[in-house]
Amino acid sequence: SQNSFINLRQIEVYLISILMPVKNAGPYLKSCLDSILAQTSTEWELVAVNDCSTDDSEAILIEYAEKHGNIRVVRSDGVGIVSALQKAYELSNGDFIHRMDADDLMPVNKLELMAGSITEGSVVTGKVSYFCDEREVGEGFLKYTDWLNGLMEEGDFWRDVYRECPVPSSAWMMHRADFERIGGFTSGLMPEDYDLAFRMLKHKLKIISLNEVVHHWRDSETRVSRNEEQYFPIAYLPLKVHYFLELHRDSNKTLVLWGAGKKGKLVAKELLERNVVFTWITNNEKKIGKDIYGVVLKSDNEQDFSGVQIIVSLSSPEEKVEVQTRLKHERLVNNLDYYWFF
């Protein structure tokens, strides 16, 4: 059948289960697999799910599976990355769970470092790097890398959880029991890696951050974050609103939304769809007094900042600096009185 194993040899139970969805990764797949095979730790299994690739990905996977007994290959129905990850997990046997993307590379000691640091009730993560064979790495990816690696060094891991996903995809490992306790890949919310990070926070998993680079991301033209809208940063806003209301909303405080640009409007829509009452403010004189979605925008100068929770959702770098200065002047506390939705 379509879901039957391609490699039917007996598979041993390994300590680390590497879950890897594969979709037309042919140009990079051999390098990825070679980086896994080169690991200093040999206590692993790779469950690779071919998600209806139309290139030579399946042939490459079969070639490697026939040579290496700890590589398993299965076909999925081609309905997406989450379904492929779910199937990979169902077929895994390891005590530790780890995700890998089929176009990326592992540093040679990645699995050894992460498995050697893990404890129950924790998630291990570490620094990342981007690389590109064809051109310079995109500026946005470089900024994200600097921000992520700064978190690993500074220790205040969840400080800006609504800014970006603080747990790098393919750069985490946790106990199977913890993975199941937080819901694994069954949530259905997207993007799946950011959703998983929020659930790590929700269930209070301890973050063990390594100072070493544990993952090499490839900046390729086919990368999903470049090509699929659900992975574009602006598409993260519904997820951020969902978890803010669940994890951080203080109903005893007045909710204020600061910003009426494209991002601010999307946040407003999400709040209104959930019947959440809020005050909408702006420092854009052209928008003060306007009725948007049935809410009249107020000037930030009219706002009383005592007893409030503020969602700040701005795009302009100049506005961000201006608003941050005002928040500091009002002696408001990040991740308590205000939350940046980048």
Side-chain angles (χ1 to χ4, degrees):
S1 69
Q2 189 177 24
N3 293 329
S4 61
F5 283 116
I6 298 168
N7 179 16
L8 298 176
R9 66 176 61 192
Q10 183 66 33
I11 302 298
E12 299 177 25
V13 176
Y14 291 86
L15 178 63
I16 304 167
S17 288
I18 306 166
L19 316 179
M20 189 169 78
V22 181
K23 181 78 170 183
N24 295 332
Y28 314 115
L29 186 53
K30 287 187 177 182
S31 296
C32 174
L33 294 170
D34 288 341
S35 77
I36 298 172
L37 290 166
Q39 290 297 296
T40 53
S41 171
T42 59
E43 298 179 351
W44 55 266
E45 66 169 357
L46 171 65
V47 185
V49 179
N50 176 27
D51 193 31
C52 288
S53 297
T54 56
D55 64 1
D56 59 350
S57 292
E58 182 171 297
I60 293 171
L61 292 172
I62 293 173
E63 175 190 344
Y64 275 75
E66 288 176 346
K67 294 177 181 177
H68 305 281
N70 50 352
I71 297 177
R72 309 173 74 177
V73 181
V74 66
R75 295 191 186 108
S76 72
D77 297 327
V79 295
I81 195 169
V82 174
S83 177
L85 285 165
Q86 289 172 345
K87 179 165 287 294
Y89 180 69
E90 290 169 5
L91 300 170
S92 67
N93 300 297
D95 299 312
F96 299 165
I97 304 301
H98 174 59
R99 171 183 170 173
M100 183 64 182
D101 287 335
D103 53 353
D104 292 343
L105 298 175
M106 288 188 178
V108 68
N109 59 346
K110 176 182 185 177
L111 298 181
E112 181 181 4
L113 278 174
M114 299 185 85
S117 303
I118 200 168
T119 61
E120 291 185 12
S122 74
V123 55
V124 177
T125 185
K127 292 184 175 181
V128 298
S129 70
Y130 266 107
F131 70 100
C132 183
D133 297 330
E134 298 87 10
R135 50 179 166 68
E136 295 293 321
V137 175
E139 183 180 355
F141 290 126
L142 292 176
K143 288 182 178 179
Y144 183 40
T145 300
D146 289 342
W147 177 75
L148 278 173
N149 292 345
L151 291 180
M152 304 300 165
E153 295 175 355
E154 295 165 15
D156 191 2
F157 198 80
W158 299 112
R159 177 188 63 206
D160 290 318
V161 65
Y162 296 102
R163 171 179 172 175
E164 292 275 10
C165 178
V167 183
S169 177
S170 296
W172 56 263
M173 184 182 294
M174 70 181 83
H175 275 271
R176 176 179 288 270
D178 292 319
F179 185 70
E180 292 187 350
R181 178 165 64 88
I182 71 173
F185 292 118
T186 62
S187 164
L189 297 176
M190 293 295 288
E192 80 290 337
D193 53 346
Y194 206 168
D195 172 56
L196 187 67
F198 274 117
R199 285 183 282 119
M200 293 173 188
L201 172 61
K202 176 182 177 180
H203 291 274
K204 296 179 170 59
L205 290 186
K206 177 184 178 182
I207 301 296
I208 299 173
S209 57
L210 303 176
N211 202 36
E212 294 89 350
V213 171
V214 299
H215 191 73
H216 298 304
W217 267 327
R218 184 188 299 274
D219 178 14
S220 66
E221 292 298 329
T222 58
R223 193 165 191 87
V224 293
S225 56
R226 282 186 175 276
N227 295 282
E228 295 188 23
E229 290 185 0
Q230 60 191 349
Y231 292 97
F232 294 173
I234 200 163
Y236 299 177
L237 289 171
L239 185 76
K240 293 176 183 182
V241 171
H242 171 88
Y243 278 108
F244 170 77
L245 295 176
E246 181 177 353
L247 301 179
H248 293 113
R249 175 71 180 115
D250 184 346
S251 59
N252 294 316
K253 295 182 176 181
T254 299
L255 181 61
V256 175
L257 172 61
W258 198 333
K262 187 175 182 180
K263 291 181 180 179
K265 289 176 182 176
L266 283 173
V267 173
K269 278 186 175 181
E270 291 296 323
L271 293 173
L272 291 168
E273 287 177 4
R274 292 168 169 79
N275 297 314
V276 177
V277 176
F278 64 96
T279 299
W280 201 350
I281 66 174
T282 179
N283 53 344
N284 185 335
E285 294 184 0
K286 295 180 180 179
K287 294 182 179 180
I288 295 171
K290 283 196 171 184
D291 184 320
I292 302 178
Y293 310 140
V295 181
V296 177
L297 274 73
K298 295 171 49 179
S299 167
D300 60 296
N301 292 319
E302 300 175 30
Q303 181 62 45
D304 179 1
F305 288 100
S306 60
V308 299
Q309 264 189 318
I310 308 170
I311 294 175
V312 188
S313 191
L314 303 166
S315 298
S316 164
E318 293 78 15
E319 279 189 299
K320 289 176 183 177
V321 172
E322 180 182 337
V323 170
Q324 184 61 68
T325 300
R326 177 73 182 282
L327 293 169
K328 185 177 181 180
H329 175 76
E330 297 287 343
R331 298 184 178 180
L332 300 177
V333 179
N334 186 33
N335 263 14
L336 179 64
D337 302 315
Y338 65 90
Y339 299 79
W340 279 98
F341 278 36
F342 277 54

